[in-house]
């Protein structure tokens, strides 16, 4: 099919045609998305994939790697609303009061061995969920890196800080 692998991104492939026409393909495990500036190349590729790989055309993309995608005339919009709802439900925070700021003012996290210890598995699951969420929300990454330091011996103070990020 004459695709060339992008030297900077191992999941990205590009096929170029005449007069600057191009087809861009992103492949990740069993997810495949593609875009083009030539409807002829697009139709040719789609037919080939359906026949050769017995794939099904699902139409316009709605989800990709957990990201919600909305395509309209105004542009393409990506969000993680569904994922946020899922993690709030998972940690029983679906009815929590939202927070306007990420960290409580004056909060000092430390490795104090005092304080009530909490289940570090739940704490690690919250941190992991937040780290995946940060791919679309870089504003929370710094605070996640702060609470990440206390995964081995989290106390109620650390768990409350993590839950505040979920509320945010």
């Amino acid at each position: 099919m004459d695709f060339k692998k992008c030297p900077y991104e191992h999941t990205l492939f590009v096929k170029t045609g005449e007069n600057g026409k191009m087809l861009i393909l992103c492949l990740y495990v069993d997810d495949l998305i593609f875009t083009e500036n030539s409807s002829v190349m697009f139709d040719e590729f789609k037919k080939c994939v359906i026949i050769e790989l017995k794939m099904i055309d699902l139409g316009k993309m709605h989800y990709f790697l957990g990201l919600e995608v909305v395509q309209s005339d105004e542009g393409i919009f990506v969000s993680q609303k569904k994922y946020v709802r899922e993690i709030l439900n998972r940690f029983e925070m679906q009815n929590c009061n939202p927070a306007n700021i990420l960290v409580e003012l004056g909060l000092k996290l430390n490795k104090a061995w005092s304080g009530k210890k909490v289940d570090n598995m739940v704490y690690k699951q919250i941190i992991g969920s937040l780290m995946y969420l940060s791919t679309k929300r870089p504003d929370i990454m710094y605070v996640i890196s702060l609470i990440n330091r206390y995964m081995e011996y989290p106390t109620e103070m650390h768990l409350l800080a993590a839950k505040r990020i979920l509320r945010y």
Side-chain angles (χ1 to χ4, degrees), residues 107-122:
L107 177 69
K108 295 200 187 290
L109 296 175
N110 56 43
K111 287 188 178 184
W113 299 106
S114 61
K116 187 175 178 188
K117 188 175 185 319
V118 297
D119 182 3
N120 69 347
M121 287 306 291
V122 171

Side-chain angles (χ1 to χ4, degrees), residues 121-137:
M121 287 306 291
V122 171
Y123 188 75
K124 288 176 182 180
Q125 290 171 354
I126 291 173
I127 301 258
S129 299
L130 288 169
M131 288 180 79
Y132 185 74
L133 184 62
S134 72
T135 60
K136 194 67 180 92
R137 295 288 309 269

